[in-house]
Amino acid sequence: MIFSLVILFLISRLSRARNTRPDFYTGDRAFTAPQNGLALFGTFMMMTSFLTLGDGIASSGYDGVLPVAGFAVSWLTALLLVAEPLRNTGGYTLGDALSVRMRARPVRLAAAVVTLVVFVLYMTGQLVAASGLLALLIGLGGPAGQALIIATIIGVTLLTVYHAGMRGTTWTQIINALLLFTAVALLAYTLLSSHRLDASTLLGDATTRLPAPDLLESLSGLLTTVLGHAVLPYLFIRFLTVPDAKHARRSVSWAIWLTTPYSLLIVLIGLGAAALEKRAGEASPLVVALAEGPVLVFVASVVFTTIIGLTAGLALSAGASFTRDVYTNLIGRGPLDEAREIAVARRTVVVLCLLPAVGAIFLMRQNVTFMLSLGITLAASTILPTLLYAWFWRGFNTVGALWSMYGGAAVTTVLVVFSPAVSGDPLALLPGADFALFPWRHVGVVSIPLAFLLGYAGAKARGERDDVRFAEMEVRALTGAGAAKAVPRDPDDVVPWTGKLPWGRRRPLRPPGRGGS
Amino acid sequence: MSTGKGLEPYPLTRAEDTNRYVALQRSPAFARLRSRSRRYLAWSATLYLGTFTVTVVLSRWMPGVPRLMCALGLIALPVLVAVVHLVYARRRLDPLADRIRAEFEGSRR
């Protein structure tokens, strides 16, 4: 715990953000592809998701392996459809990307609304899940303990984002990636060595032990993951932190190279835990079953740092979205000067983080997994159709964008409210009530096509079309002509107490030696 | 490009740049890049989503199929597609895109 705090402190001191837009929001767009790939992997494969996935495999065998595959395959959506055009057309937020060809005010507002809703849902869900897990791991029982953990997470997140902006956030995420990989490898090793299991028996052992969920329902959940993950706002802001689209492409491929072995290790651990349970005759949460003593402490600190990397990324993307899309465009009168915009962004991040923190403390004892899946479903059925139409369809327009964003969000929300995730199921948010008219808890297979349809209908309903601005969008999306470039580092930017450049000037962002673990 | 109420706070594109974009969009080189990349993207997206869906469905319905192997195969799928994509994009898309981008940026000054 202290160890992770020290790392975070070092990062936030060594990589203070200057008060410029590119630096605060995107680390001057100067990260290399492997760095960004590590950071992508570090935010995306959170420790919490690792544990839930591992538990899923342990309790349901094959059906638990499929979500792991879903997460892995979701990188392909990022690789093929999202990363490159986004880097070529995006500024700092979804609103920036869309307003290249749409009327700025309405689409920025819609983009901000969608981003912030996803942010609140995702952040609250992650806070509850991570704090529950940490409470279990370090033995801080009781609501007070968990509330304390939530407060600590938010505090450290704010410290990171406030001081270090995207640069600090990215380094946190890179360290997460390394720690996460170490932790998983360590767990797999402990499992195989100390319990005398070997991989081939484990693989032979995997059988379904729970009644399989409905095929269409699980397919719906999987496809939502595959399509939605790539456009979660905290992930897609990462595609903007590299010098150009080729680096964005290569960073996603780096994330893929990391994800595949990592997923295989997770499967191994999950199956191993299942075998252990069978031997011991009782089920227990995955980590507790596997880790003892120092390993447990290590895993706990990894959980802590990874959740910081995730929340920092979420907070930064939401702060950017509010500041740029809502504050300066709707409330403010025209562009703020740069330093003031960043000051506003910093304060926005503080305010925005308090909301999910309070929410998480209230919902601590609830089952919030539905908030996470709702967040992904919302992203997949609002942001994805809007972006794809905006880049590739000449006939798209502002009205279509509004329909696919607000309409997609409305459809998703209504379906989820009437799904078994909210009522009529022992695991639902309101287990007592029953108004579940929709049969599945994963609504993506209906809401995503509907959102595409709404975007199409909206664009057709109002015949307006701006072919001139579409020319800009299309040429930029495919070639990167006129896309924002990396900011060269300022030679005067030195670490105060050493008088040296924090990293070499030719490769702008080498790790600041001490930051690694 | 003003919407009437309030300012358009981020003047993203200068007028002469806009003209350049329009000209480039009409150029044969861009038409080639567009049709090539669209065809490629449509195919590859259909393929990876299709493979994923079909594998999930088959492994559930066909009792003979080794299910775990299917899932592990899906985990390895991204590596395969990523390699293909990296090679294809570097050989077939990047040269065209770079030329158009250079044309745009060269004509700027």
Side-chain angles (χ1 to χ4, degrees):
Chain A
M1 213 62 177
I2 292 167
F3 146 86
S4 36
L5 279 176
V6 169
I7 294 174
L8 291 169
F9 182 73
L10 272 179
I11 292 169
S12 56
R13 299 309 295 181
L14 275 175
S15 43
R16 275 187 98 131
R18 283 168 299 130
N19 286 333
T20 65
R21 285 182 201 119
D23 194 19
F24 185 76
Y25 296 134
T26 57
D28 279 343
R29 308 186 193 95
F31 288 99
T32 64
Q35 286 168 349
N36 199 43
L38 271 170
L40 273 171
F41 170 79
T43 20
F44 178 73
M45 284 289 163
M46 302 82 68
M47 199 63 182
T48 40
S49 77
F50 148 58
L51 293 167
T52 2
L53 291 171
D55 267 337
I57 299 170
S59 62
S60 54
Y62 166 78
D63 289 313
V65 181
L66 279 182
V68 183
F71 278 100
V73 174
S74 73
W75 282 121
L76 291 178
T77 309
L79 179 72
L80 295 169
L81 301 175
V82 179
E84 294 173 51
L86 187 68
R87 175 62 190 85
N88 282 335
T89 54
Y92 306 102
T93 65
L94 176 62
D96 287 343
L98 291 177
S99 55
V100 170
R101 67 175 288 209
M102 312 283 172
R103 277 182 280 130
R105 294 171 68 97
V107 289
R108 278 184 187 272
L109 182 65
V113 167
V114 168
T115 307
L116 294 177
V117 170
V118 173
F119 161 75
V120 169
L121 286 169
Y122 220 71
M123 185 86 156
T124 314
Q126 288 292 349
L127 281 176
V128 173
S131 63
L133 185 67
L134 277 169
L136 185 74
L137 284 176
I138 59 180
L140 257 182
Q146 203 175 339
L148 186 72
I149 293 172
I150 293 178
T152 318
I153 295 174
I154 285 294
V156 181
T157 306
L158 287 179
L159 192 78
T160 310
V161 178
Y162 197 94
H163 276 290
M166 184 45 110
R167 205 182 293 282
T169 305
T170 306
W171 282 112
T172 318
Q173 290 166 350
I174 290 175
I175 287 171
N176 283 345
L178 300 175
L179 285 176
L180 204 54
F181 225 104
T182 321
V184 170
L186 199 68
L187 280 178
Y189 175 76
T190 334
L191 184 75
L192 291 183
S193 65
S194 72
H195 299 284
R196 293 181 206 299
L197 300 166
D198 73 278
S200 57
T201 45
L202 289 183
L203 295 183
D205 234 22
T207 44
T208 310
R209 289 190 284 151
L210 293 178
D214 185 51
L215 172 67
L216 270 175
E217 174 172 13
S218 63
L219 195 60
S220 170
L222 291 169
L223 284 177
T224 310
T225 310
V226 168
L227 293 174
H229 245 277
V231 287
L232 281 172
Y234 72 97
L235 269 181
F236 85 50
I237 201 173
R238 287 238 57 91
F239 302 136
L240 302 170
T241 59
V242 286
D244 58 26
K246 282 174 208 155
H247 283 81
R249 178 200 305 151
R250 281 180 41 225
S251 54
V252 181
S253 68
W254 270 95
I256 291 178
W257 311 150
L258 291 164
T259 304
T260 300
Y262 175 86
S263 305
L264 293 177
L265 283 177
I266 290 184
V267 173
L268 194 66
I269 292 173
L271 295 178
L276 282 185
E277 272 172 26
K278 211 182 276 174
R279 200 179 286 176
E282 61 185 63
S284 57
L286 181 61
V287 261
V288 181
L290 293 178
E292 296 135 355
V295 183
L296 189 69
V297 175
F298 180 66
V299 171
S301 65
V302 174
V303 171
F304 185 77
T305 38
T306 48
I307 189 71
I308 300 296
L310 174 77
T311 48
L314 272 168
L316 190 63
S317 60
S321 177
F322 183 84
T323 312
R324 290 183 61 78
D325 295 341
V326 179
Y327 190 86
T328 57
N329 278 280
L330 301 177
I331 303 171
R333 297 170 182 283
L336 293 176
D337 83 273
E338 207 166 28
R340 247 190 58 88
E341 181 180 323
I342 301 307
V344 172
R346 289 197 158 113
R347 264 174 269 144
T348 308
V349 168
V350 176
V351 176
L352 279 180
C353 276
L354 294 180
L355 189 67
V358 173
I361 289 174
F362 275 111
L363 291 170
M364 227 153 49
R365 295 278 171 242
Q366 302 280 333
N367 185 347
V368 293
T369 41
F370 100 94
M371 295 184 97
L372 297 178
S373 73
L374 177 58
I376 299 179
T377 316
L378 271 177
S381 32
T382 53
I383 302 176
L384 185 74
T386 313
L387 280 178
L388 290 184
Y389 278 144
W391 289 324
F392 299 118
W393 182 31
R394 178 186 294 270
F396 201 48
N397 57 28
T398 309
V399 181
L402 297 180
W403 280 34
S404 63
M405 283 196 279
Y406 289 130
V411 166
T412 312
T413 314
V414 169
L415 284 178
V416 166
V417 165
F418 292 105
S419 82
V422 170
S423 71
D425 188 275
L427 290 174
L429 184 70
L430 307 167
D434 185 359
F435 46 88
L437 304 172
F438 190 77
W440 309 323
R441 45 181 52 245
H442 300 292
V443 304
V445 87
V446 177
S447 69
I448 298 171
L450 266 181
F452 272 99
L453 220 63
L454 279 170
Y456 181 80
K460 287 284 169 193
R462 189 76 59 86
E464 65 171 24
R465 224 170 80 173
D466 193 338
D467 282 353
V468 172
R469 290 173 84 190
F470 176 64
E472 171 174 357
M473 187 68 145
E474 193 177 29
V475 174
R476 266 178 75 171
L478 287 183
T479 66
K485 296 201 170 59
V487 179
R489 280 204 74 79
D490 180 358
D492 297 334
D493 190 18
V494 293
V495 176
W497 56 88
T498 61
K500 285 182 194 151
L501 279 173
W503 30 72
R505 228 187 303 164
R506 286 174 75 209
R507 280 195 290 163
L509 276 165
R510 280 244 306 285
R514 277 180 285 167
S517 56
Chain B
M1 214 77 52
S2 171
T3 48
K5 22 179 187 173
L7 296 165
E8 197 78 4
Y10 294 101
L12 289 159
T13 320
R14 290 174 299 168
E16 65 268 27
D17 277 352
T18 306
N19 295 338
R20 255 168 232 141
Y21 281 125
V22 175
L24 278 179
Q25 194 198 27
R26 289 181 188 147
S27 70
F30 186 77
R32 200 154 66 238
L33 172 66
R34 172 172 49 198
S35 72
R36 194 179 282 174
S37 90
R38 286 203 169 186
R39 210 168 35 235
Y40 166 69
L41 284 185
W43 271 106
S44 50
T46 317
L47 269 181
Y48 87 78
L49 288 173
T51 312
F52 185 79
T53 314
V54 168
T55 313
V56 170
V57 173
L58 272 188
S59 68
R60 181 65 63 73
W61 275 347
M62 303 273 168
V65 183
R67 310 168 83 192
L68 193 66
M69 288 306 134
C70 284
L72 295 182
L74 284 182
I75 291 178
L77 175 70
V79 174
L80 189 75
V81 179
V83 169
V84 172
H85 179 69
L86 287 178
V87 171
Y88 185 87
R90 197 177 54 225
R91 298 227 177 115
R92 306 281 292 160
L93 301 178
D94 282 354
L96 272 174
D98 288 345
R99 211 182 319 144
I100 295 167
R101 182 178 184 161
E103 203 174 308
F104 177 84
E105 275 155 21
S107 66
R108 223 175 186 179
R109 16 206 103 91

